[in-house]
């Protein structure tokens, strides 16, 4: 299936060179994004002056995501592609590499973040934890970077991008204040966040949470029985009240953990579902970055309080 997609991509890329010449300069900039976090960001910056297509919807796991034939068409027709990078979109990396060789603008938003501030990880080929959006300061840098790239590529709308970007950054500053206020109400010893996979390390670093993921940083490897037993012992030792399911990861792993705690004669509740690698339904508040963050923090605080 993947090989087949790749063949189509190669074929379409050869047609692409003809298409590029015929592009009408008055047409809207055609932007393609990968994760729903990036789609929401670009939507906020580009507003109605761009044509925007996000590849990954709600509940989609970027670690496992493969490009469909429809995606390949979207990618080939894009004026610019924004993606997370740091091997978050592990299975698309090869496709992006190919695009880059064909001079399609392919931009990894994580490129802007100083490597010294990234969390190291042995699990990714990049050597870094790719879940950068859970530190709002990182996301602000990514917004500024994306804005600059859009201004460069589409200078006629530079003013719009700049204006939208400023307004969005202000929203994120308000979000930061709100979150800090909520988290301060939770005692430091209660700040233990157990989730399906290690998506929340940047969140933990920013707000002093001890973060433990059952599946490690990527969902590509399943948790073993030993991992479950070890984590169950940790939960009992630290007297953790609640553990969390993630919207983009099957909940059976967290349920297995809950059962393991129970088998040792203890109780741990499932504190709710957190949005980790994808936003909520686009028609809901949680379908935005700001809404997702607010919801996650409320869910965590309510369950651990
Ligand atoms: Zn992840």
């Amino acid at each position: 299936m993947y090989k087949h997609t790749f063949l189509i991509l190669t074929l379409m890329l050869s047609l692409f060179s003809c298409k590029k010449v015929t592009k009408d300069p008055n047409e809207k900039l055609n932007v393609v994004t990968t994760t729903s976090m990036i789609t929401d960001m670009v939507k906020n910056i580009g507003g109605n002056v761009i044509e925007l297509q996000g590849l990954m919807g709600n509940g989609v796991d970027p670690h496992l995501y493969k490009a469909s034939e429809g995606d390949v068409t979207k990618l080939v027709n894009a004026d610019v592609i924004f993606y997370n990078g740091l091997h978050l979109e592990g299975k698309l990396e090869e496709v992006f590499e190919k695009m880059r060789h064909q001079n399609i603008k392919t931009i990894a938003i994580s490129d802007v973040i100083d490597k010294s501030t990234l969390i190291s990880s042995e699990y990714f080929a990049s050597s870094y934890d790719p879940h950068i959006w859970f530190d709002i300061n990182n996301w602000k840098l990514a917004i500024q970077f994306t804005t600059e790239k859009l201004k460069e590529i589409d200078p006629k709308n530079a003013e719009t991008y700049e204006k939208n970007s400023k307004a969005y950054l202000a929203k994120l500053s308000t979000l930061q204040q709100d979150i800090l206020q909520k988290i301060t109400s939770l005692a430091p010893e209660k700040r233990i966040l157990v989730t399906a996979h290690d998506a929340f390390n940047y969140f933990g670093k920013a707000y002093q949470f001890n973060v433990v993921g059952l599946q490690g940083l990527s969902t590509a490897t399943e948790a073993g029985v030993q991992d479950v037993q070890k984590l169950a012992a940790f939960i009992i030792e630290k007297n953790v009240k609640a553990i969390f399911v993630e919207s983009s990861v099957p909940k059976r792993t967290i349920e297995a953990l809950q059962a393991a705690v129970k088998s040792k004669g203890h109780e741990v509740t499932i504190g709710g579902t957190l949005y980790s690698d994808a936003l909520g339904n686009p028609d809901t508040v949680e379908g935005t970055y700001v809404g997702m963050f607010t919801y996650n923090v409320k869910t965590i605080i309510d369950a651990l309080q």
Side-chain angles (χ1 to χ4, degrees):
M1 167 77 183
Y2 187 54
K3 276 236 161 69
H4 181 55
T5 308
F6 211 74
L7 207 72
I8 290 171
L9 171 67
T10 313
L11 196 76
M12 293 196 77
L13 280 171
S14 52
L15 295 170
F16 176 75
S17 30
C18 322
K19 187 210 136 241
K20 202 171 188 178
V21 186
T22 58
K23 171 108 182 161
D24 176 354
N26 294 320
E27 249 178 73
K28 281 184 182 181
L29 191 74
N30 191 352
V31 186
V32 173
T33 49
T34 56
T35 68
S36 43
M37 289 72 75
I38 302 174
T39 306
D40 182 52
M41 177 211 282
V42 174
K43 191 173 162 187
N44 274 282
I45 304 168
N48 55 12
V49 304
I50 60 166
E51 211 59 73
L52 174 63
Q53 298 183 86
L55 297 184
M56 302 176 196
N58 51 316
V60 172
D61 182 345
H63 301 289
L64 306 178
Y65 190 85
K66 288 178 186 168
S68 68
E69 284 172 29
D71 291 343
V72 172
T73 311
K74 286 176 193 162
L75 289 166
V76 167
N77 288 305
D79 294 313
V80 57
I81 300 159
F82 289 104
Y83 70 107
N84 189 85
L86 299 173
H87 285 86
L88 176 78
E89 304 96 337
K91 316 249 184 236
L92 295 182
E93 209 82 10
E94 213 181 334
V95 176
F96 292 147
E97 203 49 46
K98 189 120 189 152
M99 298 264 162
R100 205 162 307 144
H101 288 306
Q102 298 287 334
N103 291 325
I104 299 178
K105 285 196 172 62
T106 308
I107 299 165
I109 59 160
S110 58
D111 277 356
V112 71
I113 295 160
D114 193 311
K115 293 279 182 286
S116 68
T117 68
L118 290 174
I119 297 172
S120 299
S121 161
E122 62 200 75
Y123 293 102
F124 286 87
S126 64
S127 309
Y128 297 106
D129 180 339
H131 304 89
I132 53 167
W133 57 94
F134 280 123
D135 181 336
I136 301 172
N137 283 330
N138 278 345
W139 211 235
K140 282 176 156 179
L141 290 173
I143 292 166
Q144 285 163 333
F145 181 64
T146 304
T147 306
E148 287 313 310
K149 292 292 175 191
L150 285 170
K151 281 160 70 180
E152 262 171 52
I153 299 164
D154 185 26
K156 68 176 186 298
N157 288 310
E159 248 176 72
T160 305
Y161 296 134
E162 189 60 36
K163 196 182 101 218
N164 291 348
S165 178
K166 279 210 172 108
Y168 193 44
L169 286 167
K171 263 191 193 171
L172 261 59
S173 293
T174 308
L175 174 70
Q176 277 178 307
Q177 287 166 11
D178 291 350
I179 281 169
L180 196 62
Q181 204 174 23
K182 284 199 187 91
I183 289 175
T184 313
S185 72
L186 187 68
E189 69 273 13
K190 287 185 177 172
R191 293 185 200 172
I192 300 176
L193 184 58
V194 179
T195 58
H197 90 299
D198 258 345
F200 294 93
N201 288 319
Y202 288 98
F203 176 82
K205 197 177 163 195
Y207 299 108
Q208 289 86 49
F209 271 79
N210 184 0
V211 175
V212 192
L214 184 56
Q215 272 178 279
L217 281 172
S218 172
T219 52
T221 46
E222 288 244 359
V225 178
Q226 259 193 330
D227 302 321
V228 173
Q229 290 304 327
K230 244 170 79 181
L231 193 47
F234 172 85
I235 288 166
I236 293 162
E237 187 204 319
K238 300 282 181 189
N239 200 18
V240 177
K241 260 179 79 178
I243 56 180
F244 300 89
V245 175
E246 290 173 39
S247 64
S248 54
V249 183
K251 63 178 181 186
R252 62 172 187 274
T253 53
I254 283 297
E255 285 170 346
L257 182 59
Q258 187 184 33
V261 171
K262 200 168 180 170
S263 75
K264 292 179 199 290
H266 292 262
E267 283 291 337
V268 67
T269 61
I270 292 181
T273 302
L274 302 180
Y275 296 101
S276 53
D277 292 4
L279 301 177
N281 188 313
D283 304 329
T284 63
V285 179
E286 291 79 34
T288 66
Y289 177 83
V290 173
M292 171 279 287
F293 224 112
T294 308
Y295 172 88
N296 274 358
V297 169
K298 187 183 183 311
T299 305
I300 293 167
I301 306 287
D302 286 353
L304 297 179
Q305 195 66 273

